Amino acid sequence: MLIVICIVSLIHCISGQLLDNKLKGHSPQYICSVPGLLGPPGQPGPNGASGAHGRIGLPGRDGRDGRKGEKGENGDSGLRGTLGPAGRVGEKGDRGLTGKKGPDGFAGVKGVLGPEGPPGEKGDKGQRGLPGQPGVCKCGSLVPKSAFTVGITTSYPEEKSPIVFNKVLFNEGEHYNPTTGKFVCAYPGIYYFSYDITLANKHLAIGLVHNGQYRIKTFDANTGNHDVASGSTVMYLNPEDEVWLEIFFTDQNGLFSDPNWADSLFSGFLLYADTDYFDALSEDYS
């Protein structure tokens, strides 16, 4: 507005000077003074008549969203919706604490009898029972019997090991074992053992062995002819004691056997049993 007022004042000054110079007969000169300061605004004039309505303008842009309001109160619960599909099984959690023992349930139906278990340990000996009725005397059945005579069918057996006499001539009680060559005591007592060995081509060093210990040893030198070596002894045996013959010296093994004309024999028998042992055995029978 101030610019418009300055322009109008300038035009008015110029036009007034030109008109004044023309009337005085002078050549035109352009002299313009600087406009003064604006005066104070005048009193507002009366309102003019209302103008005609203008055209409706274009709609303005949407305003910005207002600030988020405060959270309202919870509404009433809605109706329960339909159960959705089951989700995947989650990972197994840690084991919880052991709960209290619940009440005992009702007894179940008795099952099928299982297989028989292994025998248990032997229990303590019970008390002696009442005496029974007198039985029939079986004194004759208590007489112990143990005797044997065996031969061998091969010559020159293995040295420093039991000689296996595999030809059984007599074996009362089966206490001699023809597989191992050993006599095993069944009844404790006094026993008699003997051997008669035919030898040929070599000397013979043979001994009677009792539980790994030599009881007797005999040596017979070969003179170029056949000869017979013999030995015998008496000894006390306990149950499970073992007796056998054995070549005790290397290369002194002249034991000879020929089924057509010569035998090598080993014999033994019980002279009498241990009376204390059989007294106790008799009490078990009575």
Side-chain angles (χ1 to χ4, degrees), residues 132-157:
Q133 296 295 328
V136 179
C137 179
K138 297 182 179 180
C139 299
S141 63
L142 296 179
V143 176
K145 299 176 183 180
S146 180
F148 72 95
T149 295
V150 290
I152 190 170
T153 60
T154 58
S155 300
Y156 316 122

Side-chain angles (χ1 to χ4, degrees), residues 20-282:
D20 183 57
N21 290 331
K22 186 177 179 180
L23 291 176
K24 293 179 178 182
H26 298 291
S27 57
Q29 295 180 354
Y30 297 99
I31 299 173
C32 183
S33 61
V34 177
L37 300 173
L38 293 177
Q43 297 292 330
N47 294 329
S50 299
H53 292 287
R55 296 180 180 179
I56 299 174
L58 298 174
R61 296 179 180 177
D62 294 337
R64 296 180 180 178
D65 296 336
R67 294 181 180 178
K68 186 175 181 180
E70 297 180 357
K71 184 177 180 181
E73 297 179 356
N74 293 332
D76 297 335
S77 299
L79 299 176
R80 185 173 182 179
T82 306
L83 182 66
R88 295 181 179 179
V89 178
E91 296 181 357
K92 185 177 181 179
D94 297 334
R95 186 183 182 90
L97 299 176
T98 303
K100 296 181 180 179
K101 182 179 178 181
D104 295 335
F106 297 103
V109 180
K110 186 175 181 180
V112 181
L113 183 65
E116 183 178 356
E121 297 181 358
K122 185 177 181 179
D124 298 332
K125 186 176 181 179
Q127 297 179 354
R128 189 179 184 92
L130 298 175
Q133 296 295 328
V136 179
C137 179
K138 297 182 179 180
C139 299
S141 63
L142 296 179
V143 176
K145 299 176 183 180
S146 180
F148 72 95
T149 295
V150 290
I152 190 170
T153 60
T154 58
S155 300
Y156 316 122
E158 184 178 355
E159 301 164 358
K160 295 185 179 181
S161 63
I163 300 173
V164 179
F165 289 82
N166 58 340
K167 181 180 178 181
V168 178
L169 303 178
F170 183 77
N171 194 9
E172 178 70 39
E174 303 294 329
H175 300 149
Y176 174 81
N177 189 335
T179 302
T180 62
K182 294 181 179 182
F183 170 81
V184 181
C185 175
Y187 307 117
I190 305 300
Y191 284 81
Y192 173 82
F193 294 96
S194 65
Y195 56 87
D196 294 281
I197 306 297
T198 300
L199 65 151
N201 302 322
K202 296 181 181 180
H203 304 315
L204 178 65
I206 192 168
L208 183 74
V209 184
H210 173 211
N211 291 340
Q213 301 294 326
Y214 288 103
R215 296 300 298 268
I216 60 172
K217 291 182 178 180
T218 58
F219 179 82
D220 289 272
N222 180 265
T223 60
N225 298 317
H226 292 82
D227 200 352
V228 176
S230 62
S232 61
T233 187
V234 175
M235 67 179 71
Y236 180 89
L237 298 181
N238 290 304
E240 305 300 326
D241 280 0
E242 296 179 336
V243 178
W244 68 87
L245 290 179
E246 182 178 303
I247 304 298
F248 65 86
F249 199 83
T250 305
D251 294 331
Q252 305 298 314
N253 182 3
L255 188 151
F256 180 78
S257 176
D258 188 334
N260 295 322
W261 64 274
D263 281 313
S264 293
L265 303 176
F266 177 35
S267 302
F269 57 87
L270 175 65
L271 286 175
Y272 57 87
D274 189 332
T275 55
D276 293 336
Y277 173 84
F278 282 94
D279 287 344
L281 193 63
S282 299

